[in-house]
Amino acid sequence: MGKLEEKKQKKTKKLFHAALELFTTKGFHETSISDITRKAGLAKGTFYLYFRDKYDIRNQLISIESSRLFSQADTALQETDIAIFEDKIIFIIDYILNLLDKDRQLMTFIAKNLGWGVFKSALIHPKTEYTLDFYHVYVRMIEDSPHEFRNSEVLLFMLVELVGSTCHSIILYNEPMNIETYKPYLYKAVKDIIRGQIID
């Protein structure tokens, strides 16, 4: 790697770090590009060398932070002897929910913004070296399963939307119940969705 590329990566990391800290403490809408560059110790013009706008850096940060969570969950999964597809999916969901439950600020940032569109572009087709191609992890689990599924991408869509849409309020506000009380309901729904997509 040349010096120019190293310099670029260093500046990009500074901007990512500053933006994440501001988005998770101050809030996305309350944070300006000037705030980000000031915190990163860079000129405002530098921001536009790497990102189109504030939404671009936010979406890339969601990719990075979500990838980090999925990567940790996948690493932990590899250390288990779990063999059944639906149990692997539940293990990953549970692992990530536990991490987010411990980091409410990150939960607020990711869950408010991680819809299917961002998830698909970020984790199925990652754009940066910092992100995980989660789809390959998912496909590997599908291929290891003895079952054939109707549409693996539709299945993933349903699972992402179910977990993302229901867990935000539960983790942040304990509404309508706390996360530990909710998990059995969630995991039954996950199993039902997966089984409903199996081709007999």
Side-chain angles (χ1 to χ4, degrees):
M1 183 188 298
K3 284 189 177 181
L4 193 63
E5 188 60 30
E6 281 183 26
K7 208 171 180 181
K8 179 182 173 184
Q9 283 194 6
K10 192 174 180 182
K11 287 180 181 178
T12 306
K13 284 180 182 177
K14 280 185 176 182
L15 289 166
F16 276 139
H17 186 268
L20 181 62
E21 188 174 333
L22 288 166
F23 290 161
T24 55
T25 55
K26 191 175 178 181
F28 174 73
H29 294 293
E30 292 72 25
T31 300
S32 67
I33 290 171
S34 295
D35 292 333
I36 295 168
T37 53
R38 192 180 309 113
K39 187 158 194 65
L42 298 168
K44 189 174 179 180
T46 304
F47 180 92
Y48 295 102
L49 295 174
Y50 308 110
F51 306 102
R52 288 188 309 277
D53 51 32
K54 192 170 71 164
Y55 293 91
D56 185 25
I57 194 170
R58 179 199 67 183
N59 290 348
Q60 288 194 46
L61 270 171
I62 292 169
S63 306
I64 291 166
E65 292 304 308
S66 300
S67 289
R68 182 175 60 80
L69 296 175
F70 277 109
S71 184
Q72 288 177 29
D74 183 53
T75 299
L77 177 63
Q78 299 314 307
E79 295 171 1
T80 73
D81 56 359
I82 297 172
I84 299 169
F85 175 75
E86 62 189 47
D87 292 338
K88 289 180 180 181
I89 293 293
I90 288 171
F91 178 91
I92 286 175
I93 293 169
D94 191 69
Y95 193 92
I96 291 171
L97 288 178
N98 289 338
L99 289 176
L100 289 173
D101 192 36
K102 292 173 187 170
D103 191 341
R104 302 299 177 89
Q105 288 181 327
L106 184 61
M107 172 67 190
T108 303
F109 174 63
I110 289 179
K112 271 190 176 178
N113 298 292
L114 186 59
W116 174 248
V118 173
F119 181 91
K120 185 175 179 180
S121 63
L123 297 179
I124 293 181
H125 306 294
K127 297 173 186 172
T128 76
E129 64 184 278
Y130 308 106
T131 52
L132 167 76
D133 188 345
F134 175 72
Y135 195 63
H136 279 112
V137 174
Y138 176 69
V139 167
R140 183 192 72 216
M141 289 191 288
I142 290 277
E143 289 171 349
D144 289 344
S145 170
H147 303 293
E148 188 178 341
F149 296 91
R150 289 187 173 86
N151 187 315
S152 59
E153 189 167 317
V154 169
L155 174 58
L156 183 59
F157 164 77
M158 290 191 292
L159 295 174
V160 168
E161 289 296 318
L162 170 66
V163 176
S165 62
T166 61
C167 291
H168 179 258
S169 294
I170 287 174
I171 288 180
L172 292 180
Y173 310 114
N174 285 326
E175 291 291 340
M177 62 192 74
N178 66 48
I179 189 65
E180 292 305 321
T181 305
Y182 177 63
K183 279 180 179 180
Y185 298 97
L186 175 64
Y187 298 154
K188 183 183 183 308
V190 166
K191 287 183 178 182
D192 289 345
I193 288 170
I194 292 171
R195 289 167 185 167
Q197 288 300 306
I198 294 173
I199 298 172
D200 295 322

